[in-house]
Amino acid sequence: MGTDALDMMFRCQKEFGVRLTRADLSELLMKRKVTDPPDGVWTDIQVRDVVKWIENSLKNQEIQYEGDIFSGVQKVLMECLAADETEVVLDAWLVRDLGAE
């Protein structure tokens, strides 16, 4: 995952008012390194991983987000990946299910 992951990170920063770094993103991707990644990528993560990442970042930075975090992540991923709302579910994989590059 390359530019789509960075785009997602920047959009999440804007949506949630949280500071995320490339190091944070890299750590998230390394934690979820899968043994059977899709062709052409070294890892894949699920929507639930992104939600947990945002929840932890908000908590660590003591930021109160008034909305539903999943809905915010869903919105970001729909915009970023041109995915349909019915596709962006907690169990969906960003690369293999939603087409992230």
Side-chain angles (χ1 to χ4, degrees), residues 4-5 8 10-12 14 17 22 27 32 35 38 41 43 51 60 64 66-67 70 78-79 87 98 101:
D4 284 338
M8 174 194 68
F10 294 133
R11 288 175 189 252
C12 282
K14 184 176 180 182
R22 289 179 189 213
E27 183 180 336
R32 287 294 292 167
T35 57
V41 297
T43 193
V51 170
N60 291 342
Q64 294 293 321
E66 298 302 318
F70 169 72
M78 288 169 51
E79 293 169 355
E87 298 173 303
L98 301 178
E101 295 181 355

Side-chain angles (χ1 to χ4, degrees), residues 48-63:
R48 75 174 61 257
D49 300 319
V50 178
V51 170
K52 189 69 171 168
W53 179 41
I54 298 301
E55 288 173 345
N56 289 338
S57 296
L58 289 167
K59 181 180 177 183
N60 291 342
Q61 295 173 39
E62 299 179 357
I63 297 171

Side-chain angles (χ1 to χ4, degrees), residues 1-35:
M1 293 192 344
T3 57
D4 284 338
L6 287 174
D7 186 23
M8 174 194 68
M9 182 183 81
F10 294 133
R11 288 175 189 252
C12 282
Q13 287 185 131
K14 184 176 180 182
E15 175 70 25
F16 297 102
V18 67
R19 184 173 184 281
L20 304 169
T21 67
R22 289 179 189 213
D24 296 332
L25 178 59
S26 180
E27 183 180 336
L28 171 69
L29 296 174
M30 289 304 294
K31 279 184 183 177
R32 287 294 292 167
K33 187 166 175 36
V34 294
T35 57

Side-chain angles (χ1 to χ4, degrees), residues 47 70 74-75 77-78 82-92 97-98:
V47 172
F70 169 72
Q74 185 180 48
K75 175 186 164 206
L77 293 174
M78 288 169 51
D84 185 79
E85 182 177 3
T86 59
E87 298 173 303
V88 184
V89 296
L90 288 172
D91 291 331
D97 295 330
L98 301 178

